[in-house]
Amino acid sequence: YLQERDPAARQWAICIFDDLVEFAGPASAQFAGDFLEGVLAAVRQNESPDLRQAAAYGVGIMAKNGGDAYADFVVGSALPAMIEQLNKPDARETENIFATENIVSALSKIMRVYGARLGADMPALLQTWFAALPVSNDDDEVPAVYEYLVQVLTEQPDALLAGNDPRALKHLVKSVVQALAVCNLSPELTQALLAVMQSTMASFDDAGKAALWSEIPREQQQALQSKGLI
């Protein structure tokens, strides 16, 4: 099925290999020669967002569950292909949004697990990932993204905020607000993101807070109020 012309058939095949990596972990690497090129081709193609989504999810699972056996493929081959897709002008169009959010989630997993291998490329990758926020459509991928956001802000905030650059702070608040308003998050992650929002808002004076809050869509403000978060 991985060789079929029908993208739905290739998607089905890649989902099977995704499960193989997820549940067999590093032991799945003995079969990797049968599917890695198919996964990479699926990331690169532009005809089927569903196929690209399955492939991006699989790359993230390779990083999370596959161990060192997948590191060279993930960092050397899949990562550049995903960045190329992420930077396309239509990446956030409705038909592509789930594939794009799976790419953003995969980047979270890659940086968390293979960060040491990224070396000097890590700062630029963090900024690319941060600029791609928010993620709020694929409920399955939201936790991985925002848990990693909290981790980075705790361990190395300047890597994202560049010494409290106002544009970065505004982007952070808007991304967090959208996640809190739209997504079903665990109580722990909700509290962590609330703390991020509150500490970030504290960086602005009253006029700055009012100006920033005026840029938050009214439906998101109402959602936060209905959830008792503000």
Side-chain angles (χ1 to χ4, degrees), residues 134 136 173-183 197 212-213 215-230:
S136 60
V173 170
K174 290 179 179 180
S175 299
V176 168
V177 165
Q178 182 161 328
L180 289 170
V182 174
C183 304
M197 183 179 72
L212 175 55
W213 201 246
E215 297 178 21
I216 304 296
R218 182 170 297 277
E219 63 270 18
Q220 292 183 12
Q221 297 182 34
Q222 292 172 340
L224 292 181
Q225 290 171 343
S226 67
K227 292 181 179 183
L229 301 179
I230 58 171

Side-chain angles (χ1 to χ4, degrees), residues 20-40:
L20 175 66
V21 179
E22 183 169 3
F23 295 106
S28 66
Q30 62 187 299
F31 305 107
D34 294 325
F35 60 84
L36 290 185
E37 286 304 314
V39 170
L40 184 59

